[in-house]
Amino acid sequence: MTTEQAGMDITELLSTASSMTRPDPVAGSARPGSIVFGSGVPDPVLYPRASLVREISRVLSEPGVDLGYSRGRGQPALCAAVADRLNVRSGSTLDGDDITITAGASGALQATAAALLDPGDVVVVEEYTYPAAVDTFRQRGATVVTVPTDEHGIDVHALGAELDALAGAGRRVKAVYTIAPYQSPTTVTLSAERAGVLVDLAARHGVLVVVDDTYGEIQFTGRSPLHGPLLSSGQAVHLGSFSKTLTPALRLGWVAGNRGVVDAITAMRTDIGVSLVLQEAVARMLASGEYAEHAATASRHYLRKRDLLLDVLDTECAGMASWQVPEGSFFLWLRTFSPTEEIAAAASDLGVGFVPGSVFAVDGEDRHHLRLAFGFVGLDELADGARRLARSMSRASGNEPVSAVGR
């Protein structure tokens, strides 16, 4: 039934927040046959189907298994296992009472925003960031302010100056949102020194640091860049997820850290929790060590994909773009010499897609960056996709005649 048939204009009933929608972020081509370096979706070949079937079957076959709603923080065994995993990765001192289980990292972000933000509050974010986080904060009525990043993560000197200026103007800053480690889209890693400064700034200004660690388990250096003193400081909450390491279909994530925030999130939730069966199954994979082995396997797989992609870019894109070699995640962030809209026009003809930097810029203003997400792209497509992108850049720069370009 259309709105005309119903005799009313449904838009009059919709909230202001419902209008905060974004178009498809992929530039270039997303049609069949294209190679699309689009969203942050993991490689399906890594999904641990057999392990999940085994553990879920075991849970369901046990007498007295709880098949009801998940109340409170979540399944205690999973809360404890998540805390243990974070402590191993970072040297933090969390326990199960510092964790609440959510519907993925997006659920963690929404729950944290709901617990913290009132209309008129301010959230400070990195100048390029996760667009859905910006939408989440704005839907709560918050103002989003940006600070720059560099190769060491968020610029804490600029952050300190911004917090001072906002305080001087009488603005109420509630949170600093940072994606660390392996910031998306830029892939830079927050240094230990800056993490310490973040704690000091948060304490001085009475704000919470919200650390989005969605991609932190995908790491290539053999060392964990997750900073325990930040997580254990009481000035931060940590948002995490099993979507990138196991499978997005689980919809399992968490908020960890500041117990006051965790308690508030738990108290105000209305979603009645996440599947107890899935929580128990994943808790067993963590307890047995299988999850850690799987995360290491996934990291090796994405390292191979990263290196393959870089090999082609080094050969084909020299002089047309520059990039930093990421130490984790499954993204590359390119600074392009030609405008991305011109590259996108050529990419549409050549059958390759990417996400332009303007999608991640809070003000939407960027013409010379693009992100390549190689998680979902098959190993057998990476080289061809990179070559198509290189030819798109070449055409955009005027170095390759249109008549000379073919698939």
Side-chain angles (χ1 to χ4, degrees), residues 172-174 201-208 235:
R172 181 69 175 102
V173 181
K174 287 287 188 69
L201 287 173
R204 187 196 318 161
H205 288 274
V207 304
L208 189 75
Q235 297 295 147

Side-chain angles (χ1 to χ4, degrees), residues 101-116:
I101 303 301
T102 61
S106 59
L109 183 63
Q110 291 165 2
T112 301
L116 286 179

